Amino acid sequence: MWTMPPALVLRRATLADAWPLWRLAHRDSRPLPVGPLAVAEVDGELVAAVSTATGESIAEPFRPTAALVDLRKRYAAGIHSAG
């Protein structure tokens, strides 16, 4: 049986992400990072976020998100440098 690999999307957070970000921070037992956020979605579910201003991040503790840490930070750095 063949299965599709998970779809990964990296993007800037929007106002529509407020509730998913709050829930993610709560699940990670960390405060929501300050400043504009870059988020990572896997199959449409927000699983990680990083502040483009401070580099602080939150991630879904019940999913394997460690591989996204470097990718998120590189994406956030690109957003920050692009203005």
Side-chain angles (χ1 to χ4, degrees), residues 59-60 63-72:
E60 174 58 59
R63 291 186 72 159
T65 56
L68 295 173
V69 172
D70 186 48
L71 192 57
R72 281 187 323 225

Side-chain angles (χ1 to χ4, degrees), residues 8 24 28 40-42 45-49 57-72:
L8 172 64
L24 183 63
D28 197 17
E41 291 180 341
V42 174
E45 180 183 350
L46 198 138
V47 296
S57 64
I58 54 175
E60 174 58 59
F62 303 109
R63 291 186 72 159
T65 56
L68 295 173
V69 172
D70 186 48
L71 192 57
R72 281 187 323 225

Side-chain angles (χ1 to χ4, degrees), residues 10-11 30 33 37-40 48-59 65-81:
L10 300 175
R11 60 177 178 79
R30 297 179 51 104
L37 301 175
V39 298
V50 63
S51 169
T52 61
T54 67
E56 294 178 273
S57 64
I58 54 175
T65 56
L68 295 173
V69 172
D70 186 48
L71 192 57
R72 281 187 323 225
K73 290 188 177 184
R74 287 183 196 194
Y75 178 77
I79 288 176
H80 184 69
S81 66

Side-chain angles (χ1 to χ4, degrees), residues 14-31:
T14 67
L15 287 177
D17 296 313
W19 170 248
L21 284 166
W22 178 88
R23 186 179 64 217
L24 183 63
H26 179 73
R27 289 174 67 94
D28 197 17
S29 300
R30 297 179 51 104

